[in-house]
Amino acid sequence: MHRASIFSCLHPSLKSFLLHKKDACLFPFPLQKSSAMLVPLKQKSSGGRRPKKKIYHRVHELDRVMDLQKKPSVILHLKAIIQSQKNQHLLLRDLEKQVGFVQKWNFMAVIEKYPSIFHVDAGSSMPPSVTLTEKARKVACEEAESRELMEPVLVKNLRKLLMMSVDCRVPLEKIEFIENELGLPSDFKKSLIPKYPEFFSVKDVNGKAYLHLENWDSSLAVTAREERLTCEGVLPSNPPKKKVRISKDGNFFGPFAFKICFPTGFRANVSYLDELERWQRMQFPSPYLNARRFEAADPKARKRVVAMLHELLSLTMERRLTSIQLDAFHSEYLLPSRLLLCLIKHHGIFYITNKGVRSTVFLKEAYNDSHLTDKCPLLLFRDKFIALSGRREINLCNEMTS
């Protein structure tokens, strides 16, 4: 019997099922009520083997950094809100106006959990309010001193940030976008920039305010990577006399090499290490040279981009930025269009974590497990304030307990 006549003899419910079924393998011949033929898709054979999946190895110690910062960030935020009030008292009913309805409950939990830092004053005649305890106020007074110590560092880092840009200028709104990561005060446009007219100026370009570099200083055109190599005795003018092979952990003793920190569980094969050794040996132009001078497809220019990202992260207090913050500086530094792939490819230098609200890019060499190895004065003050909650932060760089 012809297949079309078989179809006409079927039960109406089965006909309806087959007419709406999209799998061509179940009903391979053309149906009467359809003008299109369903063709089964052919898949390429892989010779009986599954294609090898590329795995992005997690670094749980750096993922943990994002978890460890949740409570301290709420404590420091609440401290700043209280200090911004005229009488250093914040009415609890006004907390929602400051942080929103959802976050209000996180802040209320912190107030209740840390009575050593926050004191609730609930008088009979006055509405309940929260303020800092006497001990917390004494520690908070040390912030001004840490800000003074930070100022020369901030000025230097701002100058380096502008020197790396293609036109030696960056929109002010983009500086504000990363002001917390740089350690800048919230009013830096009024309190910091006007104090140094020999270094900075604010100019209007096409209706947008830009921070301009007033003079170039060649002594600042040295990257954090180069400073580390100098401390280790490796100089471009003094290369190693005998040929040095790359180690199994990817590290290489040379003037153009980067510190590599492979994740646990990653096993590099011989061909990978050979390719990495060629890359580590390859010379590349400084990130402080104008990016317009180089062809983006040139391997040396690609390595320069890695050095640029390395230096950008090195200028931040905690050696990390969110992927959105990095992406915001595409035009100023001529970053690659596929920035994420560049970061993933160099997973021995950078690490991307999805912990937190947004994905964050870490400079791996700056951390020992979950601890930042080199802390600026402002971070040391913050650790000291957070220690009032009973949590102790250790600076592994100089083995000080903050």
Side-chain angles (χ1 to χ4, degrees):
M1 188 181 293
H2 195 271
R3 284 182 295 182
S5 61
I6 294 175
F7 177 77
S8 61
C9 298
L10 293 175
H11 191 275
S13 61
L14 187 56
K15 286 183 185 180
S16 176
F17 169 77
L18 293 175
L19 282 170
H20 291 87
K21 191 66 180 174
K22 295 182 178 180
D23 191 351
C25 296
L26 291 177
F27 201 64
F29 53 88
L31 304 181
Q32 293 178 347
K33 295 188 178 182
S34 175
S35 59
M37 182 178 290
L38 301 176
V39 180
L41 296 175
K42 293 183 179 179
Q43 296 182 350
K44 292 183 179 180
S45 174
S46 58
R49 293 180 298 175
R50 288 184 177 181
K52 189 176 180 181
K53 291 184 178 180
K54 292 184 178 180
I55 301 173
Y56 188 71
H57 293 268
R58 311 309 306 176
V59 181
H60 300 292
E61 293 82 5
L62 295 181
D63 288 338
R64 188 167 174 262
V65 171
M66 305 304 295
D67 293 329
L68 291 174
Q69 72 163 3
K70 290 179 181 178
K71 280 293 192 298
S73 64
V74 175
I75 292 173
L76 293 170
H77 190 184
L78 184 56
K79 175 189 80 71
I81 293 174
I82 293 172
Q83 289 179 315
S84 66
Q85 306 300 308
K86 289 183 179 179
N87 56 358
Q88 304 283 299
H89 282 70
L90 174 66
L91 296 176
L92 290 179
R93 68 188 182 191
D94 294 336
L95 184 58
E96 185 176 330
K97 299 177 184 177
Q98 298 284 343
V99 299
F101 177 76
V102 176
Q103 286 296 320
K104 176 184 72 173
W105 304 108
N106 292 331
F107 282 80
M108 293 292 288
V110 163
I111 293 170
E112 184 180 3
K113 188 174 182 179
Y114 302 112
S116 58
I117 301 177
F118 304 108
H119 171 68
V120 178
D121 188 5
S124 57
S125 59
M126 296 291 293
S129 63
V130 60
T131 184
L132 296 176
T133 62
E134 186 65 29
K135 191 173 183 180
R137 276 199 295 268
K138 288 181 180 179
V139 177
C141 290
E142 299 178 18
E143 184 175 6
E145 182 182 355
S146 68
R147 290 284 182 185
E148 288 181 11
L149 294 173
M150 278 291 292
E151 188 165 306
V153 178
L154 295 176
V155 172
K156 175 185 174 184
N157 288 350
L158 267 182
R159 293 172 71 189
K160 290 167 76 75
L161 200 68
L162 295 174
M163 286 170 64
M164 283 193 293
S165 63
V166 289
D167 295 314
C168 292
R169 69 185 187 195
V170 174
L172 263 178
E173 61 182 16
K174 294 190 179 183
I175 301 292
E176 290 178 290
F177 191 39
I178 60 170
E179 65 178 26
N180 292 329
E181 286 71 20
L182 293 174
L184 292 169
S186 57
D187 62 342
F188 76 95
K189 290 186 289 185
K190 296 179 180 178
S191 62
L192 185 67
I193 301 302
K195 286 176 66 175
Y196 300 93
E198 68 274 23
F199 299 144
F200 311 113
S201 65
V202 179
K203 298 177 183 179
D204 187 273
V205 179
N206 298 326
K208 184 183 290 187
Y210 278 75
L211 183 63
H212 284 248
L213 181 71
E214 284 300 304
N215 62 73
W216 181 276
D217 188 351
S218 298
S219 64
L220 295 180
V222 180
T223 64
R225 184 195 65 86
E226 291 170 327
E227 290 176 354
R228 176 182 62 82
L229 290 176
T230 301
C231 292
E232 295 175 359
V234 182
L235 300 172
S237 56
N238 184 29
K241 294 181 180 179
K242 58 181 181 179
K243 187 176 180 180
V244 181
R245 292 287 297 174
I246 194 168
S247 61
K248 290 184 179 180
D249 61 3
N251 287 296
F252 178 76
F253 190 77
F256 302 102
F258 286 80
K259 180 74 177 293
I260 301 294
C261 307
F262 285 140
T264 304
F266 178 79
R267 298 290 182 268
N269 56 31
V270 176
S271 61
Y272 183 91
L273 289 175
D274 287 342
E275 183 181 348
L276 182 59
E277 180 179 350
R278 288 192 294 271
W279 187 83
Q280 289 276 50
R281 289 180 181 275
M282 183 171 58
Q283 299 184 22
F284 64 94
S286 169
Y288 289 95
L289 296 177
N290 198 309
R292 292 196 182 102
R293 295 169 54 181
F294 312 108
E295 187 65 37
D298 187 357
K300 293 182 179 180
R302 291 201 192 109
K303 190 174 180 181
R304 179 192 172 277
V305 169
V306 175
M308 170 76 73
L309 295 170
H310 185 287
E311 185 70 356
L312 279 174
L313 294 173
S314 297
L315 295 179
T316 63
M317 288 197 302
E318 297 179 281
R319 313 305 192 267
R320 67 177 191 237
L321 286 171
T322 66
S323 55
I324 296 177
Q325 288 172 326
L326 270 178
D327 203 50
F329 291 90
H330 258 289
S331 56
E332 284 72 29
Y333 301 108
L334 297 187
L335 298 177
S337 56
R338 297 198 289 180
L339 180 59
L340 183 63
L341 291 179
C342 175
L343 294 167
I344 291 174
K345 180 179 180 181
H346 299 282
H347 60 103
I349 303 172
F350 311 109
Y351 177 66
I352 307 171
T353 178
N354 291 324
K355 291 279 188 177
V357 180
R358 297 180 179 89
S359 60
T360 302
V361 181
F362 283 84
L363 184 62
K364 296 178 77 172
E365 67 182 62
Y367 285 81
N368 185 346
D369 291 334
S370 299
H371 301 278
L372 186 66
T373 56
D374 187 14
K375 295 188 178 183
C376 64
L378 186 57
L379 288 181
L380 292 175
F381 158 75
R382 289 178 179 176
D383 286 349
K384 187 173 183 179
F385 189 85
I386 295 300
L388 295 173
S389 67
R391 171 175 164 174
R392 301 180 69 187
E393 294 288 341
I394 298 177
N395 182 8
L396 298 177
C397 181
N398 52 17
E399 297 182 353
M400 281 181 54
T401 301
S402 302

